Amino acid sequence: MEFKTFVFYFLSTVLVYASLRVVTLRNPVHAALHLVLAFFSASGVWILLQAEFLAIALVLVYVGAVMVLFLFVVMMLDINLDRLREGFWSYLPLGAIVALLMVAEMSLVIWATSSDLFDHDVAQTAAGYSNVQAVARLLFTQYVYPFVLASVILLVAMVAAVALTLRGKRLSKSVSPAQQVFVKSKDRVRVLQMPSEKRE
């Protein structure tokens, strides 16, 4: 078995396992950690295909946004944050395992690339070729309608998440500027005259 095939099967196995654990775990903290591991494994597969921009975008966008997703889950499920803080050390072994797997994956890909162990079956590009320019050209020409549709779906999801977190009518403390202009001092300040009393 070639080394590139071994790395691919290793990353794919971790990716499939982490994806299954994301949808089967009941604990949102564990599910979020497995989601981060799945994104890192998918970015490793992209690096094997020489799509470095997509791999970095996957890590920066989705691994950064997964914490926002976790915050939405915490707000929507009414999770007791005090209990989560108390059980912080119980999540440490799983977090350490996920971190070690991510470090192992990145080290494996970087070491194999620097040692030139990958075969060169993938078509090699010229020196001045830009992945970003090629992806942008395809995205905004051939796939412009799916791109716009995905942006609309994400916008609807964001608005729905905000709407779901608002429970009941909340009193606003904002004051209308039109009402502030017509306010008079006698309407806001009242002077009371109270006779003094002598103490025995």
Side-chain angles (χ1 to χ4, degrees), residues 9-184:
Y9 281 122
F10 174 73
L11 293 175
S12 301
T13 304
V14 174
L15 178 59
V16 171
Y17 168 75
S19 303
L20 289 175
R21 295 301 288 168
V22 168
V23 297
T24 55
L25 284 172
R26 299 183 66 180
N27 192 329
V29 179
H30 291 176
L33 289 174
H34 281 90
L35 189 58
V36 171
L37 179 60
F39 287 146
F40 264 96
S41 303
S43 67
V45 175
W46 280 115
I47 291 176
L48 289 179
L49 295 175
Q50 296 183 0
E52 294 85 5
F53 171 72
L54 294 177
I56 295 300
L58 186 65
V59 172
L60 290 180
V61 175
Y62 288 99
V63 175
V66 74
M67 293 301 109
V68 178
L69 172 66
F70 176 66
L71 289 177
F72 276 125
V73 171
V74 169
M75 287 190 294
M76 292 173 64
L77 296 181
D78 287 334
I79 297 175
N80 192 356
L81 294 177
D82 294 332
R83 289 181 58 189
L84 285 179
R85 292 191 187 98
E86 290 175 359
F88 172 75
W89 294 107
S90 63
Y91 301 132
L92 186 61
L94 178 63
I97 292 172
V98 170
L100 288 175
L101 271 175
M102 288 189 296
V103 169
E105 289 175 357
M106 289 186 291
S107 303
L108 195 62
V109 172
I110 292 172
W111 175 71
T113 305
S114 62
S115 302
D116 201 18
L117 294 177
F118 290 155
D119 56 349
H120 298 286
D121 293 340
V122 180
Q124 299 298 313
T125 57
Y129 182 78
S130 174
N131 281 336
V132 181
Q133 193 174 19
V135 169
R137 184 180 292 111
L138 280 176
L139 192 62
F140 293 110
T141 55
Q142 187 175 353
Y143 298 102
V144 64
Y145 292 117
F147 178 73
V148 173
L149 182 63
S151 64
V152 171
I153 291 173
L154 289 175
L155 178 63
V156 171
M158 184 178 64
V159 172
V162 172
L164 287 174
T165 55
L166 294 176
R167 296 195 175 100
K169 184 178 179 181
R170 298 184 179 180
L171 298 176
S172 177
K173 295 183 179 180
S174 61
V175 181
S176 174
Q179 295 178 355
Q180 289 180 339
V181 171
F182 296 105
V183 168
K184 298 179 181 179

